[in-house]
Amino acid sequence: MAKRKGITVSRQIMDSQMLHPEATGELTGLLNELIVAGKIISAEVNMAGLADILGQSGKTNIQGEEVQKLDVFANKTIKRRMEQCGYLCVMASEEEDGIIPVLDGYEGKYTVAFDPLDGSSNIDVNVSIGTIFSIHQRISSGKQGTEKDLLQPGSRQVAAGYIIYGSSTMMVYTTGDGVHGFTLDPSVGEFFLSHPDIKIPQTAKYYSVNESYTNYWHDSTRAYIDYLKEIDPATGRPLSLRYIGSLVADFHRNLIKGGIFLYVRDKKSTDKPEGKLRLLYEAAPLAMVVEQAGGRAITDDGRRILDIEPVDLHQRVPLIIGSKEQVDIAESFFLGKKG
Ligand code: AHG
Ligand code: MN
Ligand code: MN
């Protein structure tokens, strides 16, 4: 007899909706639309080596970065599904300069900001990449949403998560009742619950930072990374360095195994005075996930990521995120209390 498959992600979302009698089912519908988009992108990512969608699209995005064809495909796929799902009033994407409207007559009460494909530099070398999403409830009245609906602090997100296209495709999300992980079974095209109620280990096993910037680091960063290289008496060894160059992949490994990821300000980033990562669709959604899993997410001057009031769709933010105990230690270095 075939082994009974587990709980599908749609069932889990429905179950968590039941926890909220006031729920109308719109958030459930929205998450299900994102899931479909994730399945479509996953199929394309897994075919990327064969189909002619590798390589440059010849375009650059608002970040001034070379846009890869898979980026374009992922962005289009999500936009197409979201603009007529009836649950959104406005969207924002890393790949688009301004706000993205929904089709007239399809306006709903939520907003979504997304990074359609995170880790683009890894697309054509078969390294894990992902999609990150952040959902808010609109605050403006009227039909189409506005930028104001998107520029809300991460603490007001109603849902956040990511889909990681790796050795398997996984969806990890939270609606504020814990973090749940689902693995795609391509043979049936369903995401099944594989990681219920994820809690990030309190102590870190890994640290993730791009050490090629060492010569530009501020003293506090250098002191902290040097500290991580000392022998940890608890384990008799220093932390292991793992840096994939896809935030979603580095974050996901740290979420499961325990770790800390840093992308902070340095002396060279004159054009990016706040570091490289974007608040709305990278730092804030992952900060909600990590806090729901018992971890922390702060900036290199001690601000809680979820408390930051955004002023621009694509504003960047320094990010220190991961296991609570290790973020606490990092914070003491960056606030000058240690090192
Ligand atoms: P994206 O591909 O969406 O632009 O994001 C890339 C980001 C993030 O995924 C990763 O952690 C970081 O860029 C790597 O930057 P460096 O190459 O400067 O380390
Ligand atoms: Mn990204
Ligand atoms: Mn991206």
Side-chain angles (χ1 to χ4, degrees), residues 14 22 65 68 93 115 123 135 148 160 170 181 203 243 250 263 268 306 327 333:
M14 183 54 80
E22 75 287 358
E65 293 154 346
Q68 300 249 7
S93 165
D115 180 351
I123 287 178
I135 298 170
K148 205 172 61 153
M170 270 195 73
T203 54
Y243 191 76
D250 280 314
Y263 206 113
K268 85 168 171 31
L306 293 182
V327 174
F333 275 89

Side-chain angles (χ1 to χ4, degrees), residues 302-332:
R303 290 170 289 155
R304 178 179 177 239
I305 292 288
L306 293 182
D307 290 340
I308 299 175
E309 292 276 350
V311 293
D312 177 80
L313 292 179
H314 303 287
Q315 79 182 64
R316 298 174 193 270
V317 68
L319 180 62
I320 301 169
I321 187 169
S323 297
K324 181 182 179 318
E325 282 174 19
Q326 197 51 249
V327 174
D328 292 349
I329 295 169
E331 184 179 40
S332 61

Side-chain angles (χ1 to χ4, degrees), residues 111-170:
T111 74
V112 68
F114 58 94
D115 180 351
L117 215 63
D118 172 69
S120 318
S121 61
N122 285 322
I123 287 178
D124 45 5
V125 291
N126 209 5
V127 169
S128 301
I129 49 185
T131 298
I132 311 172
F133 60 89
S134 163
I135 298 170
H136 279 283
Q137 186 140 349
R138 74 178 303 168
I139 48 179
S140 73
S141 53
K143 292 182 69 169
Q144 287 286 343
T146 63
E147 197 171 73
K148 205 172 61 153
D149 294 304
L150 289 155
L151 297 179
Q152 299 185 59
S155 55
R156 285 217 290 266
Q157 290 174 101
V158 293
Y162 56 87
I163 298 161
I164 180 167
Y165 313 105
S167 46
S168 63
T169 293
M170 270 195 73

Side-chain angles (χ1 to χ4, degrees), residues 22 83 98 130 137 141 150 188 196 237 249 277 287 301 309 335-336:
E22 75 287 358
E83 67 186 4
Q137 186 140 349
S141 53
L150 289 155
V188 296
R237 51 159 301 143
L277 300 176
D301 54 2
E309 292 276 350
L335 297 188

Side-chain angles (χ1 to χ4, degrees), residues 166-187:
S167 46
S168 63
T169 293
M170 270 195 73
M171 177 173 186
V172 175
Y173 81 92
T174 180
T175 53
D177 300 311
V179 178
H180 309 288
F182 299 80
T183 300
L184 182 65
D185 176 342
S187 67

